[in-house]
Amino acid sequence: MFNYLRKRFTSHIRERSRRRARLVSKDGRCNIEFGNVEQSRFVFLIDIWTTILDLRWRYKMTIFISAFLGSWFLFGLLWYVVAYIHKDLPEFNPSINHTPCVENINGLTSAFLFSLETQVTIGYGFRCVTEQCATAIFLLIFQSILGVIINSFMCGAILAKISRSKNRAKTITFSKNAVISKRGGKLCLLIRVANLRKSLLIGSHIYGKLLKTTITPEGETIILDQVNIEFVVDAGNENLFFISPLTIYHIIDKNSPFFHMAAETILQQDFELVVFLDGTVEATSATCQVRTSYIPEEVLWGYRFAPIVSKTKEGKYRVDFQNFSKTVAVDTPHCAFCLCNEKEAKAKEKKGYDNPGFVLSEVSETSDTKM
């Protein structure tokens, strides 16, 4: 039992040591931290709209509730101060002929209720401003204008947060693994992507970036060096008809960074493949971006994706998402370089080659045979 637990613990530690740092998580979130930023954090207040939109829901709702409660309470204090200065409160024993600035304000609680009724335009009719003092009229106008601004900003921020295209991107999913196999006689890296909604993404475009650490000839080490990865679809990589799952692929040729990798060495490589899908949401005309990443352990060499689309007897097309990330082993060359050499060897077999050093000499035959 002790040996078993020790093996499990050792394998767990070894697995954790093999884990690679990811810049982009599988759901598209960026794993990056900014340190020693010289600029003040108050610069984020300059673009307060974007700052509010980027906040998480718990912080946004805290600001939403605090903005309304704070403004109601602040103006409630101001209304109480107006009533106190004008001596409208019962503690001053106003005369019967005394006309208050605000009717029926008897304390801080009633002042808070009047502030609430004014800003949200409820107007129960029990408490109201009179024409006795200009201060109360000015305060009423100021609170009404400020209340409209707060309502517009906070309600607009909530609506914009709900309707952000980032939520639409959650209905676009990529396969768990990428595979490498032959497609059309070429060695390709394939990824499957699906749209979980029936509404389309207009003008969709798919591309990728390979992130790796490189050393320049001058000896400079560049971390997260980016290399463009071109992905294509049989129908083209522009304006995709994205109604059913698509299999995108990258051709591993001599210009590909995967050309010098092999099935035996790919797990020893240090890279991260980030895949992007840009498009416009059909319902809102807002642009959105979906991204995911693959590390070497998630790239399966010698596999292809299982079929996912079928046709029913009723003539409908059915997509079985149970096979979305399912892979099937196939015969695949263990490197792209070997596949190129194999093609060149077969091409040479079909051709004839002349030997320039070969000289044909004619020999005259003489018969020395005597009868």
Side-chain angles (χ1 to χ4, degrees):
M1 183 66 180
F2 178 75
N3 293 333
Y4 174 77
L5 294 177
R6 186 178 61 181
K7 290 181 180 179
R8 289 294 301 272
F9 179 76
T10 305
S11 62
H12 178 70
I13 296 298
R14 193 175 301 168
E15 182 181 354
R16 291 196 61 179
S17 63
R18 289 199 304 263
R19 288 181 182 177
R20 304 172 187 263
R22 310 179 75 113
L23 177 65
V24 180
S25 62
K26 297 297 288 184
D27 57 357
R29 291 178 296 178
C30 295
N31 179 26
I32 191 168
E33 179 181 343
F34 297 99
N36 299 325
V37 180
E38 297 180 357
Q39 295 182 350
S40 174
R41 295 187 180 273
F42 288 103
V43 297
F44 294 101
L45 297 178
I46 299 176
D47 188 13
I48 186 63
W49 178 254
T50 305
T51 302
I52 293 295
L53 289 182
D54 290 339
L55 289 177
R56 296 187 178 182
W57 274 108
R58 53 179 177 267
Y59 302 122
K60 185 184 294 292
M61 295 307 299
T62 301
I63 294 176
F64 182 85
I65 296 173
S66 301
F68 283 103
L69 289 179
S71 62
W72 296 340
F73 184 74
L74 175 63
F75 280 99
L77 290 177
L78 294 178
W79 287 115
Y80 179 80
V81 171
V82 170
Y84 184 86
I85 294 175
H86 198 255
K87 297 183 179 181
D88 298 334
L89 300 176
E91 57 197 50
F92 293 104
N93 296 320
S95 61
I96 300 176
N97 297 327
H98 178 76
T99 304
C101 289
V102 181
E103 294 283 355
N104 300 310
I105 287 187
N106 302 320
L108 186 59
T109 303
S110 57
F112 175 79
L113 292 176
F114 178 72
S115 173
L116 172 62
E117 296 169 11
T118 301
Q119 189 164 330
V120 300
T121 64
I122 293 178
Y124 290 118
F126 183 68
R127 281 174 286 267
C128 62
V129 176
T130 63
E131 57 184 14
Q132 184 64 26
C133 54
T135 305
I137 298 176
F138 174 78
L139 186 59
L140 176 66
I141 296 174
F142 182 71
Q143 184 178 6
S144 299
I145 296 175
L146 185 62
V148 171
I149 295 175
I150 294 176
N151 288 337
S152 301
F153 184 86
M154 298 309 301
C155 294
I158 295 295
L159 180 61
K161 182 75 172 179
I162 295 175
S163 60
R164 289 185 74 176
S165 56
K166 184 178 180 180
N167 296 326
R168 176 64 175 91
K170 296 182 181 300
T171 57
I172 306 296
T173 181
F174 288 88
S175 57
K176 181 180 179 181
N177 297 303
V179 298
I180 294 180
S181 60
K182 292 178 65 175
R183 187 182 182 93
K186 301 178 181 178
L187 192 64
C188 300
L189 183 143
L190 300 96
I191 297 172
R192 180 172 278 174
V193 59
N195 180 14
L196 301 182
R197 291 186 179 273
K198 291 185 178 180
S199 59
L200 301 179
L201 284 180
I202 303 173
S204 300
H205 175 59
I206 298 177
Y207 58 97
K209 299 287 184 181
L210 187 70
L211 308 179
K212 61 179 181 178
T213 301
T214 58
I215 300 177
T216 62
E218 294 78 16
E220 179 185 3
T221 301
I222 302 177
I223 301 177
L224 297 180
D225 186 24
Q226 300 184 14
V227 180
N228 290 327
I229 301 295
E230 295 293 335
F231 283 98
V232 295
V233 186
D234 292 335
N237 61 346
E238 297 285 349
N239 299 323
L240 303 177
F241 185 48
F242 202 11
I243 193 64
S244 63
L246 298 176
T247 300
I248 61 176
Y249 59 93
H250 164 70
I251 301 175
I252 304 178
D253 53 11
K254 295 182 179 180
N255 298 323
S256 173
F258 294 95
F259 183 75
H260 297 286
M261 299 182 188
E264 298 82 5
T265 61
I266 189 170
L267 294 179
Q268 303 172 5
Q269 303 294 325
D270 184 14
F271 67 85
E272 181 177 355
L273 176 62
V274 185
V275 184
F276 302 86
L277 171 63
D278 297 339
T280 303
V281 181
E282 186 179 24
T284 61
S285 298
T287 58
C288 70
Q289 183 183 87
V290 195
R291 51 186 176 265
T292 190
S293 69
Y294 299 91
I295 56 178
E297 287 79 5
E298 296 170 344
V299 179
L300 306 180
W301 196 295
Y303 289 84
R304 64 173 175 83
F305 290 110
I308 189 173
V309 180
S310 60
K311 193 173 183 180
T312 62
K313 297 180 180 180
E314 294 79 10
K316 295 183 179 181
Y317 292 93
R318 184 176 183 271
V319 179
D320 186 7
F321 280 95
Q322 185 177 0
N323 294 337
F324 180 72
S325 295
K326 186 177 180 181
T327 56
V328 180
V330 293
D331 293 333
T332 305
H334 74 283
C335 65
F337 185 76
C338 298
L339 181 62
C340 292
N341 291 340
E342 181 182 350
K343 289 183 177 180
E344 292 178 359
K346 290 182 178 180
K348 289 181 179 179
E349 290 179 357
K350 299 179 180 179
K351 295 181 180 180
Y353 293 90
D354 295 330
N355 186 0
F358 178 77
V359 177
L360 178 63
S361 59
E362 296 182 359
V363 181
S364 58
E365 298 181 357
T366 57
S367 178
D368 296 334
T369 305
K370 294 181 179 180
M371 295 299 292

